[in-house]
Amino acid sequence: MALTAAEHEVTGWAEAVEAYFERGWTDGLPVVPATAEAVQSFLDAAGRKPGDVVLREATRRRSITAEKVAINAVMAGCRADYMPVLLAALEAMADPAFTLHGAITSTGGSATLVVVNGPIRHRLGFNAGGNVFGPGWRANATIGRAIRLVTLNCLGAQPGLLDRSTQGHPGKYTYCIAELEEENPWTPLHVDRGLRREASAVTVYASEAPHNVLSHYGESAEAVIVAIADTMASLGSFSPGESFVVLAPEHVQILARDGWTKPRIREGLYARARRTRADLKRGGKLAGAVEPGDEAQWVHRGHGPEDVHIVVAGGGAGGHSAFIPSWSRDRNSLAVTREIR
Amino acid sequence: MTIKILDPTVSAEESAGIAVAKRVADLDGKVLGLLHNGKVNGDRLLELVREQLGARYRLREIVVVQKPSASRVAEDAVLDRLARDCDAVVTAIGD
């Protein structure tokens, strides 16, 4: 089956790069010109036909085909063999639990965090170690960017038009990490979410930027838990939504050494990540004046320990973990995991 | 060397088979639906709409419904009810 996207002729490579800017088809950075040859090679690598529908978004009535995904993947700088990861992530975003239209347009300004698990991490060269949220790794950088380009070009979430983010965050350029399963003494994320350990998987999560949790000197599991829970309880992001906690290897070693299992960590964080109703009212998180009893009534972040998702990633040195709050302030958008096939 | 680049964009699909609802000339004797999007103050905005339209027309009935969450689309049952029972519907957020 032939490609069907409209073609635009330009006089050379540099002019092509400029043409994307002029047409409003970029994220503000230069893109790789997507030629029919390149796009076909991406489709071939994924074993998809151009017209295969990858994602439907009902609110804006958009159907995104494999061809359009491949075009945006080429533009983002992906390699052809990244396509299965990108397709799995987009299919996960199409799950009704993710609430795609809300997540990409809300004033809340979320980005789609993608967490990659399984053997594909090594095959494609994902970074799960030092500077895991930072630059320098093609798979992380370009797959996250491709999701943003699809969001901009195919879902109509242009800033100021359908994307009404009040501030947004830097993860809206790219936001893709892998889990450092080799430093995880417990189960990796995709196993927690019901998949086999040998499977490769993506988990997508509409979320805020990472909040750093620096805890260098406690050297006990209790200290690590206290610091993370305090960050989770901060008023700015406080809600009954989900939490992702990306534990640095140093913190993992302390927790494991002190005998903490993953269920205990999740329970410990849920139990401590709480505020009084009085605090929530004083901070404008709840309406109304502080009333008798509010000082003694506690509200937790999330609905229970199962709302705290643990991922291991980061460099070997440094007591820096991260808390990533959900965009959704309750159940409106939930993390979704899909196997990469 | 000329090269051809492919259009990366997707447009909204035509709503095949779904016609735009018949327009009403006025609201006298009509049923008005008010769909509160779920955002803060949307209900207050719609209350103003109800007052204004109520002063201008002899409304037969007003149907008020609220989405449980602003982020999620209205459930089919809610939309079906509005389509079945109302001559016109106003929806609002009040952010």
Side-chain angles (χ1 to χ4, degrees):
Chain A
M1 196 159 58
L3 303 180
T4 57
E7 287 186 318
H8 300 274
E9 194 168 291
V10 288
T11 53
W13 199 259
E15 290 76 8
V17 171
E18 287 305 316
Y20 282 100
F21 282 116
E22 287 160 14
R23 292 169 189 273
W25 288 347
T26 90
D27 52 7
L29 295 167
V31 295
V32 176
T35 61
E37 185 185 16
V39 169
Q40 188 60 58
S41 74
F42 275 46
L43 290 168
D44 292 344
R48 297 288 186 113
K49 295 190 188 70
D52 288 353
V53 174
V54 177
L55 183 161
R56 280 187 209 282
E57 198 290 295
T59 307
R60 293 289 154 182
R61 304 197 315 275
R62 310 287 173 119
S63 285
I64 304 176
T65 60
E67 176 178 352
K68 291 292 182 176
V69 174
I71 293 170
N72 283 280
V74 172
M75 290 165 59
C78 289
R79 277 186 353 210
D81 55 357
Y82 297 173
M83 276 289 281
V85 183
L86 182 57
L87 292 166
L90 291 168
E91 283 162 3
M93 290 166 70
D95 188 305
F98 190 81
T99 312
L100 179 57
H101 177 68
I104 62 175
T105 56
S106 164
T107 50
S110 80
T112 304
L113 172 68
V114 179
V115 182
V116 180
N117 278 98
I120 204 160
R121 295 170 302 133
H122 300 300
R123 205 156 63 240
L124 299 184
F126 281 95
N127 181 27
N131 211 8
V132 69
F133 290 104
W137 297 79
R138 185 175 180 180
N140 302 53
T142 63
I143 289 172
R145 188 188 188 199
I147 285 175
R148 176 53 45 187
L149 289 177
V150 168
T151 306
L152 290 163
N153 288 326
C154 303
L155 293 167
Q158 295 282 346
L161 295 172
L162 271 186
D163 180 349
R164 309 301 295 191
S165 296
T166 307
Q167 295 192 322
H169 68 77
K172 293 182 76 166
Y173 282 100
T174 184
Y175 205 13
C176 176
I177 66 171
E179 176 157 22
L180 192 57
E181 295 174 26
E182 293 71 16
E183 293 289 330
N184 183 340
W186 314 293
T187 46
L189 179 68
H190 67 305
V191 174
D192 293 341
R193 314 244 335 138
L195 296 177
R196 295 164 295 118
R197 188 178 279 269
E198 318 80 67
S200 289
V202 288
T203 300
V204 296
Y205 176 54
S207 53
E208 295 184 13
H211 299 204
N212 183 35
V213 183
L214 165 61
S215 172
H216 262 324
Y217 307 115
E219 296 187 358
S220 71
E222 186 69 18
V224 171
I225 293 293
V226 164
I228 296 170
D230 187 77
T231 311
M232 291 170 64
S234 70
L235 276 184
S237 299
F238 196 84
S239 82
E242 291 179 297
S243 300
F244 268 59
V245 174
V246 181
L247 290 173
E250 210 172 281
H251 286 163
V252 169
Q253 286 157 19
I254 292 169
L255 290 162
R257 183 203 62 202
D258 289 358
W260 282 59
T261 62
K262 200 182 241 193
R264 186 177 170 198
I265 294 169
R266 297 172 86 172
E267 285 161 16
L269 291 173
Y270 174 75
R272 289 167 178 79
R274 61 179 194 162
R275 302 296 290 239
T276 63
R277 279 180 64 83
D279 269 353
L280 296 178
K281 285 183 171 177
R282 279 193 285 267
K285 304 292 288 188
L286 283 178
V290 176
E291 291 170 11
D294 283 347
E295 299 285 2
Q297 197 174 343
W298 293 91
V299 181
H300 291 255
R301 179 178 172 85
H303 286 209
E306 67 280 4
D307 275 352
V308 184
H309 304 287
I310 306 291
V311 179
V312 176
H320 297 276
S321 290
F323 159 57
I324 306 177
S326 56
W327 157 72
S328 170
R329 289 186 282 272
D330 203 343
R331 305 290 96 178
N332 297 330
S333 176
L334 298 172
V336 177
T337 301
R338 284 283 180 281
E339 187 165 353
I340 300 166
R341 297 178 190 280
Chain B
M1 181 194 73
T2 62
I3 58 173
K4 290 177 181 171
I5 58 172
L6 298 181
D7 185 337
T9 65
V10 173
S11 304
E13 291 168 340
E14 297 300 321
S15 309
I18 302 175
V20 174
K22 211 167 71 187
R23 307 289 95 175
V24 290
D26 63 53
L27 293 174
D28 286 329
K30 304 287 197 311
V31 179
L32 174 68
L34 298 173
L35 172 61
H36 172 23
N37 159 285
K39 277 257 180 180
V40 176
N41 293 331
D43 48 350
R44 293 168 66 182
L45 187 57
L46 284 173
E47 185 53 36
L48 286 172
V49 170
R50 175 215 283 258
E51 279 174 23
Q52 299 265 325
L53 292 178
R56 204 177 304 174
Y57 301 103
R58 289 171 289 104
L59 297 169
R60 180 151 62 86
E61 194 189 335
I62 295 173
V63 176
V64 179
V65 287
Q66 175 171 350
K67 281 176 26 178
S69 156
S71 305
R72 299 191 74 93
V73 295
E75 289 175 0
D76 286 347
V78 169
L79 296 177
D80 288 345
R81 180 183 165 208
L82 289 170
R84 188 183 63 237
D85 296 346
C86 302
D87 297 294
V89 176
V90 177
T91 185
I93 63 171
D95 230 357

